Amino acid sequence: MVVWRQYLVPEAQAAKVTYGKQNTKKYIVIHETDNEKSGADADAYARLQFNGMHREASWHLTVDDKEAVQSFEFNYACGGAGSAKGNLQGIQITICVNSDGDYSQAVHNAAEVVARIMRDESIPIENVVQHYYFSGKNCPRKMREGQANWLQFLAYIKNAPIGTVRKRKIPTDIERYHVVTGTYETRQAAENVHDVFKYRFGWGVHMEQISDKWRLKTALFTSKAEAKAAEKKIKAAQLSEVTDVIAE
Ligand SMILES: [Zn+2]
């Protein structure tokens, strides 16, 4: 069980250390801190980012052997990947290598968090890549040196049980939520529901393809209560048996 908490960099600061809210979220990019100093854990890095690091070193989420701490909402394009493509299309995840932490546990935790993000953001395993993939930097270094095998890491992700990541939100910004439906067998079935959402309920909505099925994701609601009310509405109209509320 990994606790995922947010310690979000405030908007004004985020504007300075990212490329803005233009991340297309196609990839999950794996990094390491490369800092073995004792105490250089996820909390420490989240605080550093909160207090203002520079653009080239911004990333979304830091994971250690105890927890995962999120610094930026994923729609921000952080600078950590070292190339425009990686920065504008990647969710940057950094694993701690602090000497007072358990590195292999941190790698396990990162795998569970990555599995959760893949599910929430509809990102396939093929698009989970190393920082090296985008810029040739030797990162994540320990993993690349074989201290945790990359293929093993991908296997952990594939086998990560759903529901082992517990999100604990400590908001520093306004919270916003999408509602997602279950999947529909055909595009037409999803389109019918899409039209109800759009023209009857007045919601912004888009369709997402997940392998050969389709699901719907609403535009953002500005509170959890609103998102929960939308879920109720969907269930009451029997448009989807299952729904989920996900944070932006
Ligand atoms: Zn890196």
Side-chain angles (χ1 to χ4, degrees):
M1 171 74 78
V2 188
V3 173
W4 168 340
R5 69 180 165 92
Q6 290 192 318
Y7 188 56
L8 296 178
V9 173
E11 296 260 341
Q13 172 66 17
K16 286 186 220 157
V17 298
T18 68
Y19 297 98
K21 295 178 179 178
Q22 54 170 334
N23 191 356
T24 56
K25 303 187 281 188
K26 290 203 173 85
Y27 294 88
I28 296 172
V29 188
I30 306 299
H31 305 261
E32 286 172 1
T33 59
D34 212 18
N35 180 353
E36 299 193 4
K37 285 188 191 128
S38 178
D41 60 10
D43 182 67
Y45 270 99
R47 286 172 194 283
L48 281 171
Q49 297 216 85
F50 191 90
N51 294 327
M53 282 169 55
H54 48 92
R55 184 173 280 159
E56 292 69 30
S58 59
W59 63 82
H60 296 91
L61 222 153
T62 315
V63 187
D64 65 18
D65 57 334
K66 305 180 292 290
E67 61 174 351
V69 190
Q70 185 177 0
S71 294
F72 298 93
E73 299 284 10
F74 296 148
N75 60 343
Y76 277 103
C78 287
S83 79
K85 188 179 177 197
N87 293 337
L88 298 178
Q89 302 189 0
I91 294 173
Q92 317 294 330
I93 308 296
T94 299
I95 303 171
C96 292
V97 297
N98 50 309
S99 57
D100 57 331
D102 177 344
Y103 174 67
S104 80
Q105 183 62 51
V107 169
H108 264 103
N109 290 352
E112 292 187 11
V113 168
V114 168
R116 171 69 189 260
I117 297 169
M118 285 168 57
R119 192 189 66 170
D120 289 352
E121 303 290 344
S122 308
I123 297 170
I125 189 89
E126 299 76 42
N127 290 7
V128 177
V129 298
Q130 301 179 3
H131 179 182
Y132 175 84
Y133 174 85
F134 284 112
S135 71
K137 186 178 173 184
N138 187 24
C139 177
R141 187 173 61 83
K142 271 186 127 162
M143 218 182 261
R144 292 178 52 74
E145 287 171 355
Q147 292 189 50
N149 182 280
W150 176 253
L151 293 177
Q152 185 66 54
F153 177 64
L154 295 179
Y156 289 156
I157 293 170
K158 283 181 195 152
N159 296 324
I162 294 295
T164 55
V165 176
R166 190 156 53 89
K167 278 196 175 181
R168 191 157 62 83
K169 300 198 85 186
I170 303 168
T172 49
D173 270 327
I174 297 165
E175 298 180 48
R176 304 198 295 176
Y177 300 89
H178 300 280
V179 178
V180 293
T181 66
T183 53
Y184 300 93
E185 297 290 333
T186 65
R187 190 188 170 108
Q188 185 59 52
E191 272 173 359
N192 293 343
V193 177
H194 172 278
D195 288 352
V196 174
F197 283 16
K198 189 169 178 185
Y199 298 115
R200 199 200 301 174
F201 297 161
W203 300 338
V205 57
H206 34 230
M207 295 192 15
E208 294 181 333
Q209 190 168 13
I210 296 171
S211 57
D212 60 345
K213 294 182 182 167
W214 299 84
R215 74 169 185 184
L216 299 166
K217 183 176 178 183
T218 69
L220 289 162
F221 293 97
T222 50
S223 73
K224 195 157 201 170
E226 270 185 55
K228 288 274 174 201
E231 273 192 309
K232 258 190 180 164
K233 219 166 170 177
I234 294 165
K235 292 214 172 97
Q238 299 186 323
L239 296 169
S240 178
E241 279 176 24
V242 292
T243 54
D244 199 5
V245 170
I246 58 175
E248 183 183 12

